[in-house]
């Protein structure tokens, strides 16, 4: 009989994939799903508050229904054993079905973007050399000969780390002492990165590590050409959809933090594989890498604690740029490859925002501009001739479809556009199929259209006698698409609460813009340019955003939607030492404005809530 | 039924330990023993030539007897199923008994030694600092504050690696922002090693990695006191007793080389545990380390390929000193701790010899001296005012008791001294128990005593009619201890072949000395000092060594037996930046003499063969 202290693990089989996990009785279904490596949406990080991790239990009786589940599920749902994965403890062998809407696999990925061209100026140099093989008259060590040969090519005191030397020693013999030495010129002394066959093309890697999505670029370091690009879901989404849930999971313990780091590194390694396969090149040709992300993603990738980011006053562990061995971050590249991490500005203004500013080129061109990257957290910079002011505001997950009654990610069937003309609402879905919910740009449009139609007042309350406005359980809601036209046979609705979420989000962004303008003593009409970056920023309707007051009412031609500028900024930083120096200067020069303690923030925010 | 391509592993149980291994049928018993992690003597590295890996098969029939075994074992041995572990293939489940003489566990360890005192001058400095905690008026990152605080203490541009920063960030909060910062001043910029509670004692680690033995020292970096010392067997001995077998095993493949590295690192990590426990200190207090060894041990420890050391012209991968992260060599120390590896001179004159020269202080005192470390390979240096000449000679394993009919390691029961007086031979054993064989110093003495007794001629042939000289199977042998007085009931003998082994060994050493003297145009009578280091060098009888011509006939007071000088040299290099610089200058200035291709070597060698 098993010892009571060592309970026998029970099996959990996950459909439709057939994967399984063996877990300790009492573990939650969410634990089992994570353990099996299945990526499930869990916006709140498993705290029972977001209601996104819905599963159906096919066999095995889990723990009784939690209060959260009783409130959430209909009687029919209960009969069909729908459960929140995070609230259900496993008792016996269990078979679970994960509906596709609970899987976070098929997000719209974005690796495209516009960016100014950059003159390649990589710190990586290749030198083709012949090294004399050893003989009885020349007993110099491999290292001595390598260094002396490189010195003859003008590279004095080249540093060669032990792992690089170990590989170089083998490569020299394999390549008959005639090789391409790849050198990193960053730092006071040159550094040997790797030894390749002569005339091999030398490549670099740029990654944009978003909270939700990863974008990877493989780049020729000499021509500057992007030779492959690919995207993936950030595998950390299983542990919570937003930065805060991610930080709170990491803070549960060292093991949890390491798990987030390893999962991310593993997916990035797979991306490297994909990129190399696509471009028909060898991984060994990669000699440099740049990774950008928000401060939390930056810290998790770099193996730094994120506790300080989760506690007031939210200071980062590091702001300066970092050059460190790729192997320390779990990337499987040649042992001499370093990763360059551009500087962070603050706990919630990270290296990705710096990269975006670099890519947008607004600074270099002397524009007076607002540049913003909208997400759960929105980073905003005001660029002027007199300096740059930056802030971060908590715009919440509404624009990612979360906390919205019929909200969903930007996947097939999501309404991405809502228009209003002559009393009629028109919707457009991703994939042009029957609608099943609203993604971020859809809900933004919907609120704007409702306001345009006169069905919402400035405070966000439904108004008028439109038959499409219902009152259900004392909650007002607007039927945007009736069940007859919907893809899942249910009404697609917009609730008062949804409108409120959008008000909170847009107020946060608008008041961020206003506070920065006030700090610089500027009016919005003095702006030449409003640069809107990021996936949501690319797809949103500028007219809607202006109509509800998220953006200032400037002519549309002053707006620029630039796509994944952070990723293209990473490519530029990969290619150019000049750009890296510019990014360091830029980050150091930024006036960071902490909104939460800013005297004017509260009033501006309350005012900005109005539609 | 199993696929023919995937044979079912068979179990091998090892007595008397009860350990077991599951191996593929056809594997040798030696493979199984190694896989089970049991340390067996295998002098030749498993090639069937050394006859040291004798085991008894208790159950299960291995492959038929090999020619080597037929030649080695008596009929009775064959009946009792004695086998050479390396020559016996496993077919079915097998139970094997490993006699204690085949186990390499109980060697005489040496961590003592004499050395000149050194003025502590460590590159490691400790600074007690208070760092302002974050608040809303001070949002600087942890790293920025650390650097700025250190800069206020005179440490500009301190480098902080990612893993160190990760730990420091946690430590700053745990220690309420009042800490001892430990700094490494090697290199152009200071480097943060670790963050400790204020006023913690800062320690260093010195290791001498011998082919057979490891010696470890824990040192207070401020006072210079050795606060603990401990030794262990080099766990690589399972893979061959000498450097050549070790190199040939490593060259079988990357995995084999890694195995040697990991095994060594694991035992060094255990030694660190022992040292810390003994001194009642924390591993976290260790901030620096120095490791010395011969070039092969150096390379295997550092993770460098040893193929170039196994092929003419035997060049090392690196000769210069190395400072590299301890973690890269598998040592579990704080992430910022670097290991300093002093320089090598050549493929067979390593950093341990350099450390020995540093410890002996002969260079600094301006002596004209020979310094030598006797082992399977003997390194010899001639120190003069005009420079240092060094060479290495293959003195073979005879002084470790190998290749000697009744030879054995220096363990209990080994004859370590043989005297001759008035027609009688007197023996002294380690542990003063009945003799069972001869260790290195014993066989050296025995040959010297036989020569003294007139029973050997100058060419090493037995002479005279002494009744103790027998002829067995056409081979002449001398019964040193009759079976009635022996500990194992068998004669302890010295054969003509044994004498020949000693002639080869001493000729190699003497001709090395002569060649170096000739290179410097000196006669041996011009030597002030002959410094003899190493375990065997400490125990050997100088009189015997001079009598058989291994050493030049100088007055005994010109000889100095200094014990494990390499270990003490490592301690000195740990404590002193000045000594590290001296070691680098010394290694660079040495005139390395390659004996194998030296014009005068052959004649000198043949002449030195005479007793």
């Amino acid at each position: 009989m098993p010892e009571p202290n060592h309970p026998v693990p029970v099996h959990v089989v996950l459909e439709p994939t057939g994967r399984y996990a063996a877990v300790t009785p009492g573990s939650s279904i969410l634990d089992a799903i994570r353990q099996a490596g299945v990526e499930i949406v869990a916006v709140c990080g498993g705290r029972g508050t977001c209601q996104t991790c819905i599963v159906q239990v096919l066999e095995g009786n889990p723990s009784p229904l939690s209060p959260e589940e009783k409130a959430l599920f209909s009687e029919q749902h209960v009969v069909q054993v729908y459960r929140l994965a995070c609230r259900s403890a496993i008792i016996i062998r269990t078979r679970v079905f994960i509906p596709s809407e609970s899987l976070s696999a098929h997000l719209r990925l974005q690796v495209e973007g516009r960016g100014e061209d950059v003159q390649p100026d990589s710190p990586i140099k290749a030198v083709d050399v012949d090294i004399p093989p050893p003989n009885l008259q020349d007993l110099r060590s491999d290292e001595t000969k390598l260094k002396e040969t490189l010195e003859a090519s003008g590279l004095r005191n080249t540093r060669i780390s032990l792992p690089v030397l170990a590989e170089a020693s083998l490569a020299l013999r394999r390549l008959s002492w005639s090789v391409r030495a790849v050198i990193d010129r960053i730092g006071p002394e040159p550094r040997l990165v790797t030894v390749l066959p002569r005339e091999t093309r030398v490549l670099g890697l740029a990654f944009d590590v978003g909270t939700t999505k990863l974008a990877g670029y493989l780049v020729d370091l000499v021509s500057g050409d992007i030779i492959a690009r690919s995207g993936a879901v950030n595998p950390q989404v299983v542990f919570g959809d937003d930065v805060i849930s991610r930080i709170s999971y990491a803070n549960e313990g060292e093991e949890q933090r390491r798990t987030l780091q390893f999962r991310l590194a593993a997916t990035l390694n797979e991306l490297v594989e994909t990129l190399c396969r696509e471009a028909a090149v060898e991984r060994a040709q990669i000699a440099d890498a740049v990774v950008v992300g928000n401060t939390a993603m930056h810290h998790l990738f770099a193996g730094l604690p994120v506790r300080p980011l989760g506690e007031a006053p939210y200071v980062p562990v590091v702001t300066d740029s970092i050059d460190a061995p790729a192997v320390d971050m779990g990337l499987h590249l040649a042992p001499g490859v370093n990763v360059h991490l551009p500087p962070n500005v603050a706990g919630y203004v990270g290296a990705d925002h710096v990269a975006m500013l670099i890519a947008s080129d607004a600074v270099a061109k002397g524009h007076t501009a607002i540049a913003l990257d909208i997400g759960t957290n929105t980073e905003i910079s005001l660029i002027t001739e007199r300096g740059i002011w930056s802030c971060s505001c908590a715009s919440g997950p509404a624009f990612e479809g979360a906390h919205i009654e019929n909200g969903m990610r930007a996947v097939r069937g999501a309404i991405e556009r809502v228009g209003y003309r002559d009393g009629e609402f028109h919707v457009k879905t991703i994939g042009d199929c029957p609608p099943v919910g609203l993604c971020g740009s859809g809900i933004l449009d919907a609120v704007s259209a409702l306001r345009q139609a006169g069905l919402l007042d400035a405070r966000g309350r439904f108004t008028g006698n439109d038959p499409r406005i219902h009152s259900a359980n004392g909650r007002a809601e607007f039927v945007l698409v009736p069940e007859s036209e919907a893809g899942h046979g249910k009404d697609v609705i917009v609730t008062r609460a949804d409108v409120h979420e959008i008000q909170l989000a847009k107020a946060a962004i608008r008041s961020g813009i206003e506070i920065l303008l006030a700090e610089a003593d500027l009016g919005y009409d003095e702006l030449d340019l409003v640069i809107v970056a990021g996936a949501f920023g690319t797809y949103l309707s500028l007219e809607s955003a202006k109509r509800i007051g998220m953006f200032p009412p400037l002519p549309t031609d002053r707006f620029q939607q630039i796509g994944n500028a952070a990723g293209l900024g990473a490519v530029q930083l990969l290619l150019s030492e000049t750009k890296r120096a510019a990014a360091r200067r830029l980050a150091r020069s930024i006036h960071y404005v902490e909104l939460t303690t800013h005297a004017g923030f509260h009033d501006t925010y309350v005012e900005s809530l109005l539609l």
Side-chain angles (χ1 to χ4, degrees), chain A residues 111-139:
Chain A
V111 292
E112 308 298 327
R114 277 182 48 201
E116 303 298 321
D117 274 346
V118 62
Q119 187 62 36
D121 164 32
S122 161
I124 303 294
K125 306 290 171 210
V127 199
D128 288 334
V129 289
D130 285 307
I131 289 162
N135 63 58
L136 279 166
Q137 278 64 53
D138 180 1
L139 297 170

Side-chain angles (χ1 to χ4, degrees), chain A residues 108-110 213 373-374 533-540 561 563-564:
Chain A
R108 187 157 64 182
L109 294 175
Q110 195 193 17
K213 296 171 221 166
D373 196 334
I374 302 171
F536 170 67
T538 306
Y539 292 105
L540 68 75
Q561 288 171 291
N564 184 6

Side-chain angles (χ1 to χ4, degrees), chain A residues 519-531:
Chain A
E519 284 285 319
D521 200 20
L522 286 174
Y524 63 75
D525 47 344
E526 292 175 81
L527 293 170
D528 304 334
L529 210 54
V530 177
I531 299 161

